[in-house]
Amino acid sequence: MQADLSITALILEASLVVQLVMLLLLAFSVFGWMMIFQRRKIIQEASVQALKFEDRFWSGVDLARLYQEIGARAQNASGMEKLFYAGFKEFARLRSNTSLNQQQVLEASYRAMRVVHSRQIDKLENNLSLLATIGSISPYIGLFGTVWGIMNAFIGLGSVQQATLAMVAPGIAEALIATAMGLFAAIPAVMAYNRFINRVEKIDNQYQNFMDELLAILQRQSSAPAKEGAA
């Protein structure tokens, strides 16, 4: 009896529907953990890069020089670097345009940063909705497998004269494995989703604060000679 009720035996002897449910939940779990590790790496890198760039930005470096440094490796720039590059590039390009006033130049610079900001946040949030989906539907899929397994177990009792616990136990046990697998897939996905969303919101706030700070600096520079900002 112990051998018959082992986890492996219960999975192998489960009905086809329950086995398909277990296989689907296993795929969800593997895919979910892959996304967790991938998103964790990307979000962590974005957070570290933002802190490093802020330290560099507020170290007193000349903005025109910083712009040129980032421009030399523009293809590899990301996050806050791209925000600065886009905003300062637009500012330097339009500043010498006499047909535009100061407010129009600053608004154009801010719009350029907003476009980059939206793209960078989209990259950080990529696949997070899939984690949320796995976390929300996995318990219900596991519950479906449980209901199906218990239903089959009780249907099997209808063909016997005397029902015993030993007869119904394997069916109920295999059904409960589906529930356990659903929770195993859902719990890490929900926890990771909530944590990642919180971290993305913090990075988003960093980006928006930086954009406002940079705009204030550009506003002060806009009253200086054009050659200073376009150097």
Side-chain angles (χ1 to χ4, degrees), residues 158-177:
S159 60
V160 299
Q161 296 292 331
Q162 184 177 1
T164 64
L165 182 61
M167 296 176 61
V168 74
I172 295 178
E174 75 181 34
L176 293 176
I177 292 176

Side-chain angles (χ1 to χ4, degrees), residues 55-225:
D55 290 341
R56 171 72 169 152
F57 182 81
W58 294 113
S59 65
V61 64
D62 180 68
L63 296 188
R65 178 182 176 185
L66 183 60
Y67 168 75
Q68 292 172 353
E69 289 178 2
I70 298 175
R73 51 180 177 81
Q75 296 296 329
N76 297 323
S78 62
M80 200 172 286
E81 288 183 338
K82 278 201 168 185
L83 290 178
F84 169 78
Y85 184 78
F88 196 86
K89 179 180 180 180
E90 194 72 1
F91 174 76
R93 184 177 70 87
L94 299 178
R95 187 182 178 191
S96 59
N97 190 333
T98 57
S99 64
L100 299 176
N101 58 37
Q102 175 186 356
Q103 187 62 29
Q104 289 174 320
V105 172
L106 293 176
E107 288 178 355
S109 298
Y110 195 77
R111 284 196 301 269
M113 288 190 288
R114 287 292 300 175
V115 171
V116 174
H117 167 267
S118 179
R119 291 174 180 170
Q120 293 300 306
I121 295 300
D122 285 345
K123 287 182 180 180
L124 294 179
E125 292 179 341
N126 187 35
N127 287 335
L128 289 186
S129 60
L130 294 179
L131 273 181
T133 300
I134 290 175
S136 61
I137 70 173
S138 292
Y140 295 103
I141 295 176
L143 182 60
F144 169 77
T146 298
V147 172
W148 188 273
I150 293 176
M151 181 182 67
N152 283 340
F154 280 103
I155 289 176
L157 293 179
S159 60
V160 299
Q161 296 292 331
Q162 184 177 1
T164 64
L165 182 61
M167 296 176 61
V168 74
I172 295 178
E174 75 181 34
L176 293 176
I177 292 176
T179 298
M181 292 184 68
L183 295 175
F184 182 78
I187 292 174
V190 171
M191 292 179 64
Y193 173 79
N194 291 333
R195 176 170 173 79
F196 291 157
I197 284 294
N198 181 260
R199 295 188 66 182
V200 170
E201 286 179 354
K202 289 182 178 179
I203 295 173
D204 186 18
N205 289 334
Q206 282 182 284
Y207 286 175
Q208 293 190 37
N209 291 336
F210 174 77
M211 290 163 57
D212 293 337
E213 291 163 348
L214 178 59
L215 192 67
I217 294 174
L218 295 180
Q219 187 173 12
R220 292 195 296 268
Q221 285 200 1
S222 63
S223 60

